[in-house]
Amino acid sequence: MLVDVPKQVLVTGASGRTGFAVFKLLWENQKEFVAQALVRSEKGAKMLEKLGASVGDSESIKSSNAKLRALGMPAEDEDPDIFIGDILDGDSLAPALRNCDALVICTSGVPQLRKTELFKSILSKLIGRQRMPKFYYKEMPEQVDWEGCRNQIDAAKEAGVEHIVLVSSMGVTPAKNNDDNILNQIGDGNILVWKAKAEAYLAASGVDYTVIHPGGLLNKAGGEREIVLGVNDELLDGYEARGATRAIPRQDVAMLIVQALRHKELVTNKSFDCVSKAPGEGRTTVSFAPLFEALS
């Protein structure tokens, strides 16, 4: 790719909380990035339209433009920034990935709390009993985190994408990824099993990749904490020794992703974990290249 030419980046799952944060940050840095988004519905598209992104011209306008061009009159179709598609339908991914330099995968199975569970949990707490709330998935992790992720990797490879950044989760190493892991127990989804399988598929794809494993995701402001990186789930048990918590704001994860796109040469074919220190502890992270360089 030519120097100073903005990278064209597709963010999937862009209407989710983490995906939205990534797309927004890319959209705000248009000198460096041409941000595109894949969402599942028009409702998701409307969230991004508030940022100024567009779904492009309607079919009726495209038809009208075609007629004008046939008459020799200038009429260009507006290219979309937002694509509506389904990661379980590989054919719907191709238009969104056309001419893209990078793909950021933010899709993931999302557990839902059953309506009666909140009441039951509160009642159990009042009578002094410990009770694990029951969750369910609208779409199981096997579909979203494995099949959907595999489809995205295949489509990106077919489109000639040069870099895939996958947002996964801590806990995917064999030592932690077992039946006792609470994340696997939620909704009987075995979500870490399927995330690990997708990571292995990506690593074997031949496409340059970066895998980011966030700790617990916080809906807090970014840019206010010191970010701590590790590998191989060492932070799950060793976060306190690093002066950190086991969590990180989504906005800081979004910044890590954008920095990974900026410093591809430092994170190519690497996987790393990320958490943060509490606000006021340590020094707010402003330089990311040294963090990446320190990864083993």
Side-chain angles (χ1 to χ4, degrees):
M1 194 175 69
L2 295 177
V3 176
D4 296 328
V5 174
K7 285 186 177 182
Q8 188 166 321
V9 183
L10 176 67
V11 182
T12 61
S15 58
R17 287 175 291 183
T18 302
F20 181 84
V22 176
F23 180 83
K24 183 174 184 292
L25 197 52
L26 292 170
W27 186 260
E28 292 170 347
N29 288 272
Q30 295 190 18
K31 288 185 178 180
E32 296 179 80
F33 303 103
V34 176
Q36 296 184 177
L38 181 78
V39 297
R40 291 189 60 180
S41 66
E42 292 183 3
K43 180 180 179 181
K46 290 185 183 301
M47 291 177 55
L48 304 180
E49 286 180 313
K50 293 178 181 179
L51 299 176
S54 169
V55 294
D57 288 330
S58 66
E59 291 304 317
S60 61
I61 292 178
K62 289 179 181 178
S63 176
S64 177
N65 286 345
K67 292 177 181 178
L68 290 173
R69 288 193 292 270
L71 295 173
M73 301 175 67
E76 294 186 4
D77 296 336
E78 181 183 6
D79 292 330
D81 309 303
I82 308 167
F83 296 82
I84 298 175
D86 185 351
I87 61 171
L88 297 179
D89 176 10
D91 292 339
S92 73
L93 302 175
L97 283 163
R98 189 176 297 118
N99 298 322
C100 282
D101 302 296
L103 166 65
V104 178
I105 301 176
C106 292
T107 52
S108 178
V110 180
Q112 309 287 324
L113 183 65
R114 297 186 185 278
K115 293 181 180 179
T116 59
E117 286 301 299
L118 183 58
F119 170 76
K120 289 180 179 179
S121 297
I122 293 174
L123 181 61
S124 296
K125 188 174 183 179
L126 289 175
I127 63 177
R129 293 181 180 176
Q130 292 287 339
R131 182 180 182 277
M132 175 69 179
K134 294 182 180 180
F135 293 83
Y136 71 98
Y137 288 95
K138 291 182 178 179
E139 289 182 319
M140 295 298 286
E142 181 178 3
Q143 295 175 286
V144 180
D145 294 271
W146 165 232
E147 295 174 8
C149 193
R150 181 187 61 198
N151 287 344
Q152 294 176 74
I153 294 166
D154 288 345
K157 186 174 182 178
E158 180 68 23
V161 167
E162 299 174 351
H163 188 198
I164 297 176
V165 180
L166 171 62
V167 182
S168 186
S169 174
M170 290 173 65
V172 296
T173 56
K176 300 294 183 181
N177 192 355
N178 51 52
D179 292 341
D180 293 329
N181 193 306
I182 193 170
L183 293 180
N184 282 333
Q185 295 174 6
I186 291 175
D188 295 323
N190 284 320
I191 191 167
L192 297 178
V193 172
W194 300 114
K195 285 183 179 294
K197 190 169 183 178
E199 289 186 27
Y201 189 81
L202 175 58
S205 69
V207 180
D208 288 347
Y209 69 88
T210 306
V211 180
I212 299 178
H213 303 123
L217 292 167
L218 302 173
N219 297 318
K220 302 288 185 180
E224 299 178 354
R225 306 175 186 231
E226 181 175 336
I227 296 173
V228 178
L229 302 187
V231 294
N232 298 326
D233 283 335
E234 64 187 10
L235 294 175
L236 279 176
D237 298 318
Y239 65 96
E240 289 181 315
R242 301 279 299 275
T245 69
R246 289 179 70 173
I248 183 170
R250 294 177 190 275
Q251 291 184 16
D252 283 334
V253 175
M255 178 57 75
L256 274 171
I257 292 167
V258 172
Q259 293 292 340
L261 293 169
R262 285 176 174 149
H263 299 287
K264 176 177 180 270
E265 73 283 358
L266 299 179
V267 294
T268 295
N269 299 341
K270 289 186 178 181
S271 301
F272 60 86
D273 313 328
C274 57
V275 294
S276 66
K277 295 184 178 182
E281 299 291 331
R283 297 182 178 180
T284 301
T285 299
V286 294
S287 181
F288 290 81
L291 277 181
F292 296 150
E293 289 171 341
L295 290 170
S296 57

